[in-house]
Amino acid sequence: MQGDVDAQAFSAELAELKRGGCTLLVASDAPGHGTACERLLGAPELDRSHVFLSTAVDVPTILTRHRPRRTDPGSFAVVDATFDTRSTTTTTSAAPTGPTATTEWYERAPDHLDLEAVYTTTKAAIDRVAADADGPGELRVCLDRLDTYIDATTAGTIAETELFRFLHLLCGAIRRVDGMGHVHVSASADDDVLGTIEPLFDATVEIETTAGQHARQRWHLHSSGRETGWFQL
């Protein structure tokens, strides 16, 4: 790790965040997006539990990212808040086959821009999956992507206060069950909106892809103000 930061102090603070529940804002370029998400979901052999809230990624893509982890409803949930409505029949065809194949893990948000309804649906999924989590940091939550809501805020479709409240409630729901959540946003997202919502998160993680096509990361921990230099993802 490079940069003006005490690596030991940084690691200790990050470990404390994981123990108490935390949320991360992940600002990434397109190539680095997938690698960052895979790392934050946790290695497959650790058998983490996952809740995905998607505004832009389809269910087959989420399932591919999630494999080879379990898809039983006690450890896995997908809340579909994409603009393109998809029927349960379509989603069922994307589900893995075998004795654990089920659509009980899938929930379609009633209206992708009704943030109160999206939150209610997502919180129910978080509470259900967290009930079987064994310890802090086992539940991982991914929101992919925040750009949909930022664009709607910029366009005046939803109020900035609505977005702020939604993220405040979502971050709180994750922390209350000692989960670890990350919210993806494009590196080019509107700076004014990001400036309003960024303090809601425990840390901001910047991801970029180098000229050699290697993903690297830089962390900023909000409570202490510690910031790392760039290091390999």
Side-chain angles (χ1 to χ4, degrees):
M1 183 183 297
Q2 299 176 340
D4 297 330
V5 64
D6 184 320
Q8 185 173 359
F10 171 81
S11 298
E13 186 174 349
L14 187 57
E16 183 62 28
L17 286 176
K18 290 180 179 179
R19 283 193 293 270
C22 63
T23 56
L24 313 174
L25 182 65
V26 182
S28 62
D29 61 15
H33 169 264
T35 303
C37 190
E38 289 173 10
R39 294 293 178 87
L40 291 169
L41 291 176
E45 61 269 19
L46 297 178
D47 198 27
R48 305 295 190 201
S49 300
H50 296 100
V51 175
F52 291 88
L53 166 58
S54 178
T55 69
V57 179
D58 61 25
V59 175
T61 299
I62 291 173
L63 288 169
T64 298
R65 188 184 304 171
H66 182 72
R67 290 189 183 97
R69 303 171 181 92
R70 295 177 294 138
T71 55
D72 59 279
S75 65
F76 179 61
V78 174
V79 177
D80 185 354
T82 57
F83 178 76
D84 180 22
T85 55
R86 300 175 184 275
S87 67
T88 303
T89 304
T90 302
T91 307
T92 303
S93 67
T97 58
T100 62
T102 179
T103 55
E104 292 181 38
W105 45 259
Y106 175 84
E107 188 72 33
R108 174 72 196 175
D111 180 343
H112 75 292
L113 289 181
D114 182 343
L115 297 187
E116 183 175 351
V118 173
Y119 168 71
T120 300
T121 305
T122 306
K123 184 180 183 300
I126 289 172
D127 290 344
R128 171 171 57 80
V129 174
D132 291 333
D134 292 330
E138 180 175 331
L139 172 66
R140 303 295 173 98
V141 180
C142 169
L143 192 167
D144 200 349
R145 288 193 166 230
L146 191 60
D147 297 63
T148 300
Y149 296 145
I150 291 179
D151 291 346
T153 299
T154 303
T157 307
I158 60 175
E160 190 171 291
T161 52
E162 289 181 78
L163 178 59
F164 186 92
R165 173 177 166 77
F166 166 73
L167 291 172
H168 175 69
L169 291 172
L170 181 64
C171 290
I174 293 169
R175 292 189 188 103
R176 277 193 295 274
V177 296
D178 297 332
M180 184 174 178
H182 66 277
V183 174
H184 292 282
V185 66
S186 296
S188 59
D190 186 281
D191 287 337
D192 290 336
V193 179
L194 284 178
T196 299
I197 64 174
E198 191 172 6
L200 294 170
F201 298 88
D202 298 290
T204 299
V205 187
E206 296 175 82
I207 309 293
E208 70 173 21
T209 306
T210 66
Q213 297 304 303
H214 299 295
R216 63 179 189 169
Q217 58 187 322
R218 179 168 64 186
W219 286 64
H220 176 69
L221 302 180
H222 296 169
S223 179
S224 66
R226 289 191 178 91
E227 184 173 314
T228 70
W230 289 102
F231 62 100
Q232 186 174 357
L233 181 60

